[in-house]
Amino acid sequence: MTTRVMLVSPAFSTALREARFPERTDHGATDPTPARGAEATTGTAGVTTGTGTHADSHSGAGAPDTVDASGTVDALDPLGLRQAEAVRETFPRAAALYVSPSHRCRRTAEILGLDTEQLSDLAPCAMGRWQGRTLDEVVAEEPESVAAWLSDPASAPHGGESLLTLHTRVGHWLDGLGSDSGEDSGGRVIAVAEPDIIRAAAVHALGASPQSFWRIDVQPLCVIELSGRDGRWNLLAGRPLRTAAP
């Protein structure tokens, strides 16, 4: 039976307000790519590191976790809240509903009315000693390390998780979904996931080189759909969630 996977990106987050690697989140995981500022994008902004290398960023894979007045890590930005609340998507029945263990993803799932299970396999990439620091700070002190991290998927100069390890983790999760997808729901899985997870899933589905990770943009509140079986996947490119007319 074909498995269908809907990956939903989170709404715009306060994480984009500062180009800062995230603090440690649930399961010790962190977001991998620094964000460029306050643009309402989840995975499209090009970040110039000062080393001549560019990387995409988003509110999840690369955006920082921030703390709001209530002490909530990585809260949705007011713009993100408005965007999520405006969505009028009707999701199909699914055999399994998952969410990345980050506040922005859990809050997005809640607003979208999805009763999800938090899944450690969907945790963003751990950033080791770089967490909580800005990209500019790290580039100033470790330019060669940043260049290696951006150019070599197997590199983890921060002492955390390499992008290659992230790709492997996400690929194993995807390829193991067949046994979790019930026939009564058409073999469908829905997951509100960090953009770096969505990027890694797309790379795996296409059988692409891990270096292509940086060439995939993930907008806020979009759906990427995969379908396949036995480790062979097809990719339906992202579409925005439906919103109410202004």
Side-chain angles (χ1 to χ4, degrees), residues 6-83:
M6 296 181 64
L7 297 168
V8 182
S9 60
F12 183 56
S13 168
T14 50
L16 279 178
R17 295 301 178 189
E18 300 177 21
R20 186 176 298 276
F21 290 102
E23 299 291 347
R24 185 174 295 273
T25 58
D26 292 15
H27 305 286
T30 59
D31 305 336
T33 319
R36 185 179 63 175
E39 292 185 328
T41 61
T42 311
T44 59
V47 176
T48 302
T49 67
T51 63
T53 308
H54 292 75
D56 295 332
S57 66
H58 56 61
S59 67
D65 283 341
T66 57
V67 181
D68 65 12
S70 67
T72 298
V73 174
D74 195 21
L76 293 182
D77 183 272
L79 172 61
L81 285 170
R82 291 195 299 271
Q83 290 174 336

Side-chain angles (χ1 to χ4, degrees), residues 1-4 93 95 181-188:
M1 182 183 64
T2 298
T3 300
R4 296 174 175 82
R93 184 180 180 186
S181 304
E183 294 185 7
D184 60 336
S185 300
R188 181 174 283 107

Side-chain angles (χ1 to χ4, degrees), residues 4-243:
R4 296 174 175 82
V5 183
M6 296 181 64
L7 297 168
V8 182
S9 60
F12 183 56
S13 168
T14 50
L16 279 178
R17 295 301 178 189
E18 300 177 21
R20 186 176 298 276
F21 290 102
E23 299 291 347
R24 185 174 295 273
T25 58
D26 292 15
H27 305 286
T30 59
D31 305 336
T33 319
R36 185 179 63 175
E39 292 185 328
T41 61
T42 311
T44 59
V47 176
T48 302
T49 67
T51 63
T53 308
H54 292 75
D56 295 332
S57 66
H58 56 61
S59 67
D65 283 341
T66 57
V67 181
D68 65 12
S70 67
T72 298
V73 174
D74 195 21
L76 293 182
D77 183 272
L79 172 61
L81 285 170
R82 291 195 299 271
Q83 290 174 336
E85 289 169 351
V87 168
R88 295 294 182 269
E89 184 85 8
T90 300
F91 292 94
R93 184 180 180 186
L97 293 163
Y98 299 122
V99 66
S100 288
S102 67
H103 180 79
R104 58 175 161 257
C105 284
R106 295 195 303 269
R107 184 73 176 108
T108 297
E110 178 184 354
I111 294 173
L112 296 180
L114 297 173
D115 185 12
T116 53
E117 173 188 351
Q118 186 170 293
L119 193 65
S120 61
D121 285 344
L122 302 182
C125 194
M127 291 309 298
R129 70 175 184 276
W130 290 358
Q131 65 182 14
R133 306 185 66 197
T134 67
L135 175 64
D136 287 344
E137 290 172 347
V138 176
V139 168
E141 295 183 13
E142 304 180 50
E144 294 182 356
S145 294
V146 174
W149 171 65
L150 291 172
S151 61
D152 181 5
S155 176
H158 43 63
E161 189 177 26
S162 71
L163 291 180
L164 190 58
T165 300
L166 173 70
H167 292 160
T168 301
R169 167 159 60 91
V170 174
H172 285 168
W173 172 72
L174 274 177
D175 291 343
L177 283 178
S179 60
D180 299 329
S181 304
E183 294 185 7
D184 60 336
S185 300
R188 181 174 283 107
V189 173
I190 299 175
V192 180
E194 290 289 344
D196 61 332
I197 298 298
I198 295 176
R199 283 176 168 176
V203 169
H204 180 74
L206 295 173
S209 165
Q211 281 87 348
S212 60
F213 178 90
W214 297 119
R215 303 181 65 85
I216 299 173
D217 295 338
V218 181
Q219 297 286 339
L221 291 175
C222 281
V223 176
I224 301 288
E225 296 183 74
L226 307 175
S227 64
R229 66 176 72 186
D230 299 327
R232 181 181 177 89
W233 296 93
N234 293 325
L235 171 67
L236 177 61
R239 64 169 176 82
L241 292 176
R242 300 181 182 89
T243 58

